Amino acid sequence: MSTNLSGLFSPQSVAIIGASKFPEKVGAIVLKNIQDSGFKGEIYPVNPKETEINGLKCFPNINSIPDVPDLAVIAVPANITLELLTEIGNKGIKNAVIFTAGFKEIGPEGETLQKHLEEIATKFKINILGPNCLGFANNDLPINVTFGQVIKEKGNLRIISQSGAIAASLFDWCQTTKLGYSEFVTVGNKAVITENDILRYWATQSEPKILDSRLSKVFPIGLYLESIADGQEFVKIAKEISKTTPIFALKPGKSKAAVAAMHSHTGAIAGEDNVLDVAFKQAGIIRCHQLSEFFDVARALAWENAPKGPRVVVVSNAGGPAVLSTDSISEAGLEMAQFNEETQKKLSGFLPRMASFLNPVDILGDALADRFGQALEAVLQEPSVDAAIVILTPQLMTQIEKTADIIGKLSARYSQPVLCSFIGGSLASIGEKKLNEYKIPSFAFPEMAINALSLMWQWQNWRNLENKKVVQSENILKIDIENIQSILSSAKNYGQKNLDNFSANEVINSAGISTPLTLSLSEISQGVLFAETVGWPVVLKISSPELLHKADIGGVIVNIKSAEELNQAWNKLLKQIMSLDEKTKKGAKIQIQQQIVGGVEVIVGVKRDPNFGPVVLFGAGGKFAEILGDRNLHLLPLGEVEAKELVENSKIFKLLNGFRGDKPYDLHKLYETIIRLGKIAETSPDIAEIEINPLIITHEGVSAVDSKVVLA
Amino acid sequence: MSTNLSGLFSPQSVAIIGASKFPEKVGAIVLKNIQDSGFKGEIYPVNPKETEINGLKCFPNINSIPDVPDLAVIAVPANITLELLTEIGNKGIKNAVIFTAGFKEIGPEGETLQKHLEEIATKFKINILGPNCLGFANNDLPINVTFGQVIKEKGNLRIISQSGAIAASLFDWCQTTKLGYSEFVTVGNKAVITENDILRYWATQSEPKILDSRLSKVFPIGLYLESIADGQEFVKIAKEISKTTPIFALKPGKSKAAVAAMHSHTGAIAGEDNVLDVAFKQAGIIRCHQLSEFFDVARALAWENAPKGPRVVVVSNAGGPAVLSTDSISEAGLEMAQFNEETQKKLSGFLPRMASFLNPVDILGDALADRFGQALEAVLQEPSVDAAIVILTPQLMTQIEKTADIIGKLSARYSQPVLCSFIGGSLASIGEKKLNEYKIPSFAFPEMAINALSLMWQWQNWRNLENKKVVQSENILKIDIENIQSILSSAKNYGQKNLDNFSANEVINSAGISTPLTLSLSEISQGVLFAETVGWPVVLKISSPELLHKADIGGVIVNIKSAEELNQAWNKLLKQIMSLDEKTKKGAKIQIQQQIVGGVEVIVGVKRDPNFGPVVLFGAGGKFAEILGDRNLHLLPLGEVEAKELVENSKIFKLLNGFRGDKPYDLHKLYETIIRLGKIAETSPDIAEIEINPLIITHEGVSAVDSKVVLA
């Protein structure tokens, strides 16, 4: 598919297949929307039953159109859509919007229909938006190719939505708040064109010029997605765009995903939603967790620039909300700005004695508009202020509209973002309306303004860190791929789903990760000899490819300190094996292992996410794994910088890095191990999942005590 | 102070000291507000300069009033307030509202003034509301004794606010949403009357009859407090009220409190805000963390009954918001209701084929009002549904107002709470206005409705559990109070701030909590003998009353397995002691201790909160304490039920209760230990703080390995 979608989204001529005279029909609404939108190109209604619609000549079929239009809009029933699509292809039209529902979303029958649609698209190289979508609108051209109520207010916002309903709510809200947009695309079933294509197209377009100085300097992109077409591709494109343009995204289905992920033990550990979370984070995407957040951050990013730093000032005519905001600011990962003496002096010059000259600046309940203005200006002049939150409660003397007016004028003169919260009902909304004119985002409550600000800062902070990252030299860690492949194919030949302990250890060893000395025992005397050679204590455990959670059934005995204890352990495990089901019992062996003393247990693993590919997991191991909930993820590939970041963000890191006078554990070796494990996964698509649990980190190195390899 | 505040809040006659003819004066506004409020009693304006105000006879002074009014309202400058208050006292007036500012809130000067005010109040037994308050309004009487804009809409809401600004915002919002109230009190500086007095008064009043069947069956109480007058008393009263009436509260200053709490190690562990949190929880108070939550839950509680259970149904004309709501419901601790077959069949009878007959019920974008109604009725008839959330997005065919109308009528006929979210801007708000008429709470976004619902359920659930609690028989655990007292007074005589290890252990022992065998050593040979008697391994540690965090400086050596290792440890600690400062060094001793093997380390402590009194702390101990962040609190007193609850809510509980095939540790002994420690704190006000860290729990009992006692 072409990455140039300008014929689709900025057409010079449009055919409307199924244009209609009956105003309630989709084919009538879209025609009227295009005509009303100020579209300056040619419009060709197509309907065999009409000769003229809305003053435009109507064509009996596609072929009779004298031109080859850039875009065809299909507003006909599903059963004739494919036929018409072929006509479109034959005509040489390269772009189509299909509103029609009744495809994949209705089940197997529709799925077949959609497959045919995709085949036609491939054959004729047609870019198709939809089916089952609301269309798109481009306010820059302008053109409105939807059958909904779309706002005409021009702006800088770009939205891709997989839901028509969200679009409808958003438009109603935009209308009320006067939030304008640049392009709005609903993608429907994403049969041909996905969010990735549109993002790639936007990335290659030259940035449109900002038309309105009241707006922020970027063209923020909002994504409402119910599914992600190709996660790995998505992360790549989004990461590139995020470097200059903020992307914010909302994807429902967290809890559902979590439930689905519960069906396998490791699944529960690295549930899909955690993967999505880390994917968004790595791509610099602002993740919205709720609808309100999506709406709030849309307006904040469209109207204000992201703050350059995390230091916020609060100016308020009410003490309570100001203190509450202080709480919210620290909870949101922002900071309260500290004023220099000059600013404090400036503030004390005009504020009443009872006011607060520190941050939050309480300008008191009797503050008129001018006092709001003086205080806001004084703090915006302070170099340590990165952003301002202005709070107004409608008290007896409060000049609501005038205050909004003064804030609007001031905000235009200073570079820091200013966000407002006028708290109340209809009185407060008078101020809000005025703020909307100045494109100052205002929020029903201060905590919402602070949350939006913190999401903006999250993006800016990601950019700062991303720009600082040095390009890593090619990784020189070598792993013995050949040997790993041969172990894997041998296991596959035997029809194994998981490697047995011994083979799993061999894979780990082949990647240059050391494991404790281990021996499969056929009789107990070998064990005593082993222990006397490597030193007590030792570990005795059952190994079977069918037994993934041996600790849970008492299949691991540690701390064996003598021949007598070894004997007891041996008998216990033999008894244990006897109680296993036939299949598990069949491959069961008893292994003896050197015990690693005095280290910290962690877990390192790689799992393949169906959407985002291989994901590395790192966290606390052993008993505390579950209790700590220390699950830290990173998409592959990863280098030393990322491995370090992964470990440093974990909860167990505190313990690894020299806790309370203890000396740090061998972190370098840990980073290396994570990278090596990543390499195994990257080079071996046959491995569905690989996990070392526990990996014991000591002061002198690491040791993979127990490893699990699940085959694809 | 009298608990009968009916003369204050339901007066039959009111004097207004400082009544004025000039409309902008406080004394004019309050007079007008009382007159306009429909107050049916006598009004006596007092002003030496006037003979008549607003058609009422004006009195030159208080004494000249022919009657003894129930209430005097003081709207005069601070400097003459006290003089007038004495006149009020002499006249025999027992209730006063003082608007005047310039007292405690302005610093030392005002503080003195307020002290005098309190003295006069005590002398004449006057109930004073304020000073520095906005007054109160009682819509049931009715009377409006404020100088603000107060709404007249009658309702069931009762509010106590320490902030006039919050009141102003709330009123503006109530006006817009048509949320009515019963009583509204601003408490200002709380010189005489506090929230506790008002709560106690409300608790003794007979419940007012619900005037309006559209409202919920309770008179919810909202508290906005910047300080809490007497925490222990507050918890007692609130807990009693919460059994029948929901209380929701917002208190700013979380982060500030957290910072203040950082100054001492244990302070950080049980920071003030955590104590507030647990106090609210124990009292059954719904804690609001943000202003939006306070406003949202006010309306939800005023208009809908709390759900009987956690099972929620979602009915929506949009799939995306429905799935997002499913996420929110599980995150909020609620559940998605499961329909029986009959309901599913009913739904499939009228919903289109593409709709969802399961929960969430997606009735599709083309749903007209009737389909909303049919679906909502079908699910409200289902016995497993405890509450319903209805979501509407304004799509092309959506009948917004008619849908609201149908929901309103339906909701009145079913007992479950129905909360709505019409998502959008001005279109959506048409529906909201209609819902307001029916007193159906609606929210800008579904997650807000769900959050309000979860807070309602939190209260209902607390009530259910509270009612189930059996009265516990008097605790029979005995502790040797006399011995503890003698240890404490001896330490106090020596001017110690903390007990040394040995004395701390003795206190612990006197409470019936066992400690490992311990011996203070004067020479190493005693240590070897000790170890050979109690068995290796042993622990060697420095003990000094000045040394609270000995582990941090390497003052504890564990796992000593031989005489040789003991010797090494001895020398190491001697060296360590030499490096201490003079004061710490002076009291330092070396102790040897039996090592408890194979248990789980926890921390148990009691600290005195300045507001809520002694608070028990329980959580994971040792290295993992900090990493797990496992801090669980309970106010004293506590019995076995509470001790059990405290432990069961901890993160470490999983490990204690038999993790992965391990057998449970001695939990009964743990509960007992917590109760015994509580008893020490209750009976010994000389102890500011007592802590066992670690307490080691084994399968056979518990052992207090290290104890700390800080004197008051």
Side-chain angles (χ1 to χ4, degrees):
Chain A
M1 218 216 43
S2 158
T3 55
N4 187 354
L5 300 180
S6 57
L8 173 59
F9 294 127
S10 297
Q12 297 307 311
S13 48
V14 185
I16 294 140
I17 326 296
S20 173
K21 263 188 172 164
F22 302 100
E24 79 282 2
K25 293 263 184 186
V26 170
I29 300 170
V30 65
L31 175 59
K32 191 166 182 309
N33 275 346
I34 295 176
Q35 287 182 300
D36 288 356
S37 64
F39 177 60
K40 293 194 178 60
E42 288 298 324
I43 307 173
Y44 305 106
V46 177
N47 187 334
K49 290 182 197 146
E50 310 286 349
T51 53
E52 187 249 286
I53 305 176
N54 282 9
L56 293 170
K57 185 184 175 201
C58 187
F59 297 85
N61 53 50
I62 295 160
N63 211 28
S64 60
I65 300 173
D67 180 19
V68 178
D70 286 341
L71 172 64
V73 178
I74 300 183
V76 298
N79 59 341
I80 57 166
T81 296
L82 296 193
E83 190 186 320
L84 286 167
L85 194 60
T86 308
E87 280 185 40
I88 285 169
N90 281 325
K91 176 79 178 176
I93 301 176
K94 292 299 172 203
N95 303 288
V97 173
I98 304 181
F99 294 143
T100 320
F103 289 86
K104 203 176 178 180
E105 80 281 6
I106 63 158
E109 192 187 330
E111 213 161 323
T112 312
L113 212 59
Q114 185 160 324
K115 213 159 188 171
H116 288 314
L117 182 145
E118 287 168 28
E119 284 161 9
I120 300 170
T122 309
K123 181 176 168 196
F124 293 104
K125 297 203 174 72
I126 310 174
N127 301 317
I128 295 177
L129 190 67
N132 186 30
C133 75
L134 194 72
F136 74 91
N138 178 349
N139 270 358
D140 288 336
L141 191 62
I143 191 167
N144 171 5
V145 190
T146 76
F147 60 100
Q149 286 150 322
V150 171
I151 55 152
K152 289 184 183 177
E153 181 105 9
K154 283 193 184 195
N156 50 345
L157 200 57
R158 294 182 287 185
I159 302 274
I160 299 175
S161 172
Q162 205 173 338
S163 155
I166 297 282
S169 287
L170 202 53
F171 282 141
D172 185 18
W173 180 73
C174 284
Q175 191 73 53
T176 310
T177 57
K178 305 287 171 221
L179 175 60
Y181 68 95
S182 155
E183 296 189 61
F184 196 103
V185 187
T186 66
V187 286
N189 288 8
K190 308 198 283 193
V192 177
I193 289 181
T194 69
E195 61 276 15
N196 288 345
D197 302 309
I198 300 166
L199 287 174
R200 208 185 295 108
Y201 165 63
W202 282 345
T204 53
Q205 267 182 310
S206 62
E207 278 262 310
K209 276 171 213 135
I210 297 278
L211 331 137
D212 186 337
S213 67
R214 296 171 301 172
L215 306 178
S216 71
K217 293 204 184 75
V218 291
F219 281 72
I221 297 172
L223 306 175
Y224 174 84
L225 297 174
E226 295 183 352
S227 67
I228 287 173
D230 175 343
Q232 288 178 283
E233 184 67 11
F234 175 73
V235 168
K236 222 157 88 185
I237 304 166
K239 191 170 175 178
E240 208 41 51
I241 294 175
S242 293
K243 285 176 188 165
T244 54
T245 301
I247 302 178
F248 57 102
L250 179 62
K251 187 184 172 301
K254 286 199 282 178
S255 52
K256 200 179 137 199
V259 169
M262 289 293 276
H263 81 296
S264 111
H265 182 63
T266 321
I269 281 172
E272 280 177 29
D273 193 67
N274 295 339
V275 176
L276 185 77
D277 220 59
V278 77
F280 277 18
K281 201 174 283 166
Q282 282 179 231
I285 296 173
I286 298 169
R287 182 170 189 186
C288 300
H289 288 275
Q290 299 184 310
L291 260 180
S292 52
E293 239 178 24
F294 189 79
F295 281 56
D296 283 350
V297 84
R299 190 156 59 145
L301 286 168
W303 289 358
E304 295 290 312
N305 293 314
K308 294 220 164 57
R311 298 163 303 176
V312 186
V313 67
V314 175
V315 175
S316 172
N317 74 341
V323 180
L324 284 164
S325 299
T326 309
D327 286 345
S328 299
I329 283 169
S330 75
E331 278 166 21
L334 297 167
E335 296 163 19
M336 292 296 282
Q338 303 284 325
F339 300 151
N340 60 27
E341 259 181 53
E342 201 193 320
T343 304
Q344 287 178 46
K345 216 174 137 191
K346 220 185 280 173
L347 286 170
S348 67
F350 56 80
L351 288 179
R353 193 167 60 100
M354 296 266 305
S356 159
F357 317 133
L358 296 170
N359 191 9
V361 186
D362 181 357
I363 61 171
L364 303 186
D366 62 351
L368 301 181
D370 282 341
R371 199 191 287 165
F372 268 100
Q374 279 181 298
L376 182 59
E377 179 143 36
V379 298
L380 288 176
Q381 283 168 348
E382 155 84 50
S384 80
V385 168
D386 297 315
I389 302 281
V390 183
I391 298 169
L392 176 147
T393 56
Q395 299 184 54
L396 214 55
M397 323 177 69
T398 313
Q399 300 168 310
I400 298 172
E401 198 171 6
K402 197 173 167 197
T403 302
D405 201 60
I406 285 184
I407 295 171
K409 290 198 175 100
L410 260 175
S411 174
R413 290 189 6 236
Y414 290 89
S415 65
Q416 299 105 318
V418 175
L419 285 74
C420 291
S421 177
F422 284 23
I423 313 168
S426 20
L427 287 176
S429 71
I430 295 166
E432 269 178 60
K433 275 200 193 93
K434 179 58 78 179
L435 290 170
N436 287 341
E437 286 173 23
Y438 283 102
K439 308 296 179 195
I440 306 287
S442 71
F443 302 81
F445 295 97
E447 59 262 25
M448 294 164 183
I450 290 161
N451 188 46
L453 191 65
S454 84
L455 293 173
M456 294 168 96
W457 165 239
Q458 184 187 305
W459 170 65
Q460 181 61 44
N461 195 28
W462 176 87
R463 292 173 78 192
N464 295 351
L465 296 174
E466 199 63 23
N467 288 336
K468 262 189 232 156
K469 268 190 187 164
V470 278
V471 181
Q472 293 170 55
S473 54
E474 182 58 24
N475 211 305
I476 50 147
L477 297 174
K478 289 276 172 270
I479 70 170
D480 186 346
I481 298 172
E482 258 176 49
N483 196 35
I484 294 173
Q485 297 308 347
S486 97
I487 300 165
L488 294 175
S489 38
S490 141
K492 275 176 88 176
N493 289 344
Y494 281 102
Q496 290 178 353
K497 281 187 181 164
N498 314 303
L499 298 189
D500 59 30
N501 262 27
F502 191 79
S503 307
N505 275 355
E506 226 186 311
V507 168
I508 294 293
N509 286 150
S510 304
I513 303 167
S514 64
T515 50
L517 289 170
T518 308
L519 187 70
S520 282
L521 300 179
S522 44
E523 51 180 85
I524 179 84
S525 62
Q526 296 173 319
V528 179
L529 194 67
F530 176 90
E532 277 167 2
T533 314
V534 306
W536 305 93
V538 292
V539 179
L540 208 65
K541 54 183 168 186
I542 302 174
S543 160
S544 165
E546 303 302 324
L547 197 62
L548 280 183
H549 304 295
K550 48 186 162 297
D552 288 355
I553 60 138
V556 181
I557 299 172
V558 299
N559 257 329
I560 301 169
K561 280 176 265 172
S562 65
E564 193 193 327
E565 283 180 21
L566 184 61
N567 200 32
Q568 281 167 10
W570 173 265
N571 291 329
K572 205 168 159 192
L573 290 193
L574 279 182
K575 214 167 133 189
Q576 203 58 262
I577 288 174
M578 285 307 123
S579 70
L580 295 173
D581 65 84
E582 279 311 312
K583 201 176 164 197
T584 314
K585 195 192 293 179
K586 204 181 144 203
K589 295 173 198 162
I590 295 182
Q591 293 186 329
I592 191 165
Q593 194 170 63
Q594 175 191 24
Q595 183 166 335
I596 309 297
V597 179
V600 178
E601 294 189 352
V602 299
I603 177 171
V604 180
V606 183
K607 204 196 155 187
R608 266 170 227 284
D609 183 84
N611 214 344
F612 293 99
V615 186
V616 174
L617 161 77
F618 170 79
K623 275 188 185 178
F624 281 91
E626 206 169 312
I627 293 167
L628 265 175
D630 187 26
R631 304 279 154 222
N632 312 281
L633 305 178
H634 201 286
L635 307 187
L636 279 185
L638 98 181
E640 179 141 3
V641 173
E642 290 83 11
K644 203 161 172 276
E645 200 181 283
L646 181 66
V647 172
E648 284 176 357
N649 287 333
S650 71
K651 292 181 187 162
I652 197 77
F653 177 66
K654 222 174 193 170
L655 216 65
L656 296 174
N657 195 36
F659 188 63
R660 293 200 172 172
D662 196 0
K663 70 174 179 179
Y665 289 81
D666 193 344
L667 287 167
H668 183 76
K669 206 76 191 170
L670 173 60
Y671 305 147
E672 198 187 299
T673 306
I674 293 170
I675 296 166
R676 285 180 186 278
L677 207 72
K679 284 215 159 186
I680 302 179
E682 276 178 294
T683 53
S684 313
D686 281 343
I687 296 179
E689 198 180 329
I690 181 163
E691 188 182 284
I692 309 175
N693 183 17
L695 176 81
I696 296 188
I697 310 175
T698 63
H699 296 299
E700 294 84 28
V702 303
S703 190
V705 171
D706 205 7
S707 301
K708 178 175 85 173
V709 176
V710 180
L711 300 176
Chain B
M1 219 217 41
S2 158
T3 55
N4 188 353
L5 300 180
S6 56
L8 172 60
F9 293 126
S10 297
Q12 297 307 310
S13 48
V14 185
I16 295 140
I17 325 298
S20 173
K21 262 188 174 163
F22 303 100
E24 78 283 2
K25 292 263 186 185
V26 170
I29 300 170
V30 65
L31 175 59
K32 192 165 182 309
N33 276 345
I34 295 176
Q35 287 182 301
D36 288 353
S37 63
F39 176 60
K40 293 193 177 59
E42 288 298 323
I43 308 174
Y44 305 106
V46 178
N47 187 335
K49 290 181 196 146
E50 311 286 349
T51 54
E52 187 249 285
I53 304 176
N54 282 11
L56 293 170
K57 185 184 176 201
C58 187
F59 298 86
N61 52 51
I62 295 159
N63 210 28
S64 60
I65 299 174
D67 181 20
V68 178
D70 286 341
L71 172 63
V73 179
I74 300 184
V76 298
N79 59 341
I80 58 165
T81 296
L82 297 193
E83 192 187 320
L84 286 166
L85 192 60
T86 308
E87 280 185 41
I88 284 169
N90 281 323
K91 175 80 177 179
I93 301 176
K94 292 299 172 203
N95 303 289
V97 174
I98 304 182
F99 294 144
T100 320
F103 289 86
K104 203 175 177 180
E105 81 280 8
I106 63 158
E109 193 187 328
E111 213 161 324
T112 312
L113 214 58
Q114 185 161 325
K115 210 156 191 176
H116 289 314
L117 181 146
E118 287 168 29
E119 283 160 11
I120 300 169
T122 309
K123 182 178 167 195
F124 293 106
K125 296 201 176 73
I126 310 174
N127 301 318
I128 294 177
L129 189 67
N132 186 30
C133 75
L134 194 72
F136 74 91
N138 178 347
N139 270 357
D140 289 335
L141 191 62
I143 190 168
N144 171 5
V145 189
T146 76
F147 60 100
Q149 286 150 320
V150 172
I151 55 151
K152 288 183 180 178
E153 180 105 11
K154 282 193 185 196
N156 50 346
L157 200 57
R158 295 182 286 185
I159 301 275
I160 300 174
S161 171
Q162 205 173 337
S163 155
I166 297 283
S169 286
L170 202 54
F171 282 141
D172 186 18
W173 179 74
C174 285
Q175 191 73 52
T176 310
T177 56
K178 305 288 172 221
L179 175 61
Y181 68 97
S182 155
E183 296 188 60
F184 195 104
V185 187
T186 66
V187 287
N189 288 8
K190 308 197 283 193
V192 177
I193 289 181
T194 70
E195 59 277 14
N196 287 345
D197 302 312
I198 301 166
L199 287 174
R200 207 184 295 108
Y201 165 63
W202 281 345
T204 53
Q205 267 183 310
S206 62
E207 277 262 311
K209 276 172 214 133
I210 298 278
L211 331 138
D212 186 336
S213 67
R214 297 171 300 172
L215 306 179
S216 71
K217 294 203 184 75
V218 291
F219 281 72
I221 297 172
L223 307 174
Y224 175 84
L225 297 173
E226 295 183 351
S227 67
I228 287 173
D230 175 342
Q232 288 177 282
E233 183 68 10
F234 174 73
V235 168
K236 221 156 89 184
I237 304 166
K239 190 170 176 177
E240 208 41 52
I241 293 175
S242 293
K243 285 176 189 165
T244 54
T245 302
I247 303 178
F248 57 102
L250 178 63
K251 187 186 171 300
K254 286 198 282 179
S255 52
K256 201 179 136 199
V259 169
M262 289 292 276
H263 82 296
S264 111
H265 182 62
T266 322
I269 280 171
E272 281 178 27
D273 194 67
N274 295 339
V275 176
L276 186 77
D277 219 58
V278 77
F280 277 18
K281 201 175 283 167
Q282 282 179 232
I285 296 173
I286 298 169
R287 183 171 188 186
C288 300
H289 288 274
Q290 299 184 308
L291 259 180
S292 51
E293 236 176 29
F294 189 79
F295 281 55
D296 283 349
V297 83
R299 191 158 58 145
L301 286 168
W303 288 357
E304 296 290 311
N305 294 315
K308 294 218 163 59
R311 300 164 300 178
V312 186
V313 68
V314 175
V315 175
S316 172
N317 74 340
V323 180
L324 284 164
S325 298
T326 310
D327 285 345
S328 299
I329 283 169
S330 76
E331 278 167 20
L334 297 167
E335 296 163 19
M336 292 297 282
Q338 302 284 327
F339 300 150
N340 60 27
E341 259 180 55
E342 200 192 320
T343 304
Q344 287 179 45
K345 214 173 139 190
K346 220 185 280 173
L347 287 171
S348 67
F350 57 80
L351 287 180
R353 193 169 61 101
M354 296 267 305
S356 158
F357 316 134
L358 296 171
N359 191 10
V361 186
D362 181 356
I363 60 171
L364 303 187
D366 62 350
L368 300 181
D370 283 341
R371 199 189 289 164
F372 268 100
Q374 279 181 298
L376 182 58
E377 179 143 37
V379 298
L380 288 176
Q381 284 168 347
E382 153 84 52
S384 80
V385 168
D386 296 315
I389 303 279
V390 183
I391 299 169
L392 176 146
T393 56
Q395 299 184 53
L396 214 56
M397 324 179 65
T398 313
Q399 299 169 311
I400 299 172
E401 197 170 8
K402 196 173 168 198
T403 302
D405 202 61
I406 285 183
I407 295 170
K409 289 194 175 104
L410 260 176
S411 174
R413 288 188 9 235
Y414 290 89
S415 64
Q416 299 104 318
V418 175
L419 284 73
C420 291
S421 178
F422 284 22
I423 313 168
S426 19
L427 287 177
S429 72
I430 297 167
E432 268 178 61
K433 275 199 194 95
K434 178 60 76 179
L435 291 170
N436 287 341
E437 286 173 22
Y438 284 102
K439 308 295 179 196
I440 306 286
S442 72
F443 302 81
F445 295 97
E447 60 262 23
M448 294 163 182
I450 290 161
N451 186 47
L453 191 65
S454 84
L455 293 173
M456 293 168 97
W457 165 240
Q458 183 188 307
W459 170 65
Q460 181 61 44
N461 195 28
W462 176 86
R463 291 173 78 191
N464 296 351
L465 296 173
E466 198 64 24
N467 289 336
K468 261 189 231 159
K469 269 188 187 165
V470 279
V471 181
Q472 294 169 55
S473 55
E474 180 60 25
N475 211 305
I476 51 147
L477 298 173
K478 289 277 172 270
I479 70 171
D480 186 347
I481 298 172
E482 258 176 50
N483 196 35
I484 293 172
Q485 297 308 346
S486 98
I487 300 165
L488 294 174
S489 40
S490 143
K492 275 177 90 176
N493 289 343
Y494 281 103
Q496 290 177 354
K497 280 185 181 165
N498 313 303
L499 297 189
D500 60 30
N501 262 26
F502 191 80
S503 307
N505 274 354
E506 225 185 310
V507 167
I508 294 293
N509 287 149
S510 304
I513 303 168
S514 64
T515 51
L517 288 172
T518 308
L519 187 70
S520 282
L521 301 179
S522 44
E523 52 180 87
I524 179 84
S525 60
Q526 296 172 320
V528 179
L529 194 68
F530 176 91
E532 276 164 2
T533 315
V534 307
W536 304 94
V538 293
V539 178
L540 208 65
K541 55 183 167 185
I542 303 173
S543 159
S544 166
E546 303 301 324
L547 195 61
L548 280 184
H549 305 295
K550 48 184 160 296
D552 287 354
I553 61 138
V556 180
I557 297 172
V558 299
N559 258 327
I560 301 169
K561 281 177 265 173
S562 64
E564 193 194 327
E565 283 181 21
L566 183 61
N567 201 31
Q568 281 167 9
W570 174 266
N571 290 329
K572 204 169 160 191
L573 290 193
L574 279 183
K575 214 168 134 190
Q576 203 58 263
I577 288 174
M578 286 308 125
S579 71
L580 295 172
D581 64 85
E582 279 310 311
K583 203 176 165 196
T584 314
K585 195 192 293 179
K586 205 181 144 203
K589 295 173 197 164
I590 294 182
Q591 293 185 330
I592 190 165
Q593 195 169 64
Q594 175 189 23
Q595 183 165 334
I596 309 298
V597 179
V600 178
E601 294 190 351
V602 300
I603 176 171
V604 181
V606 183
K607 204 197 154 186
R608 266 171 226 283
D609 183 83
N611 214 342
F612 293 98
V615 186
V616 173
L617 161 76
F618 170 77
K623 275 188 185 177
F624 281 92
E626 207 171 308
I627 293 168
L628 266 176
D630 186 26
R631 304 281 153 220
N632 312 281
L633 306 178
H634 201 286
L635 306 187
L636 279 185
L638 99 180
E640 180 142 1
V641 173
E642 290 83 10
K644 204 161 172 275
E645 198 181 283
L646 181 66
V647 172
E648 284 176 358
N649 287 334
S650 72
K651 293 182 188 164
I652 196 78
F653 177 66
K654 222 174 193 174
L655 215 65
L656 295 174
N657 196 36
F659 188 62
R660 293 201 172 171
D662 197 1
K663 70 174 179 177
Y665 289 81
D666 193 345
L667 286 167
H668 182 77
K669 205 76 190 173
L670 173 61
Y671 304 148
E672 198 187 301
T673 306
I674 293 170
I675 296 166
R676 286 180 186 277
L677 205 73
K679 284 216 160 184
I680 302 178
E682 277 178 295
T683 53
S684 313
D686 281 343
I687 296 179
E689 198 180 329
I690 181 164
E691 188 182 285
I692 308 175
N693 183 18
L695 176 81
I696 295 188
I697 311 174
T698 64
H699 296 298
E700 294 82 29
V702 303
S703 190
V705 171
D706 205 7
S707 302
K708 178 176 86 174
V709 177
V710 181
L711 300 175

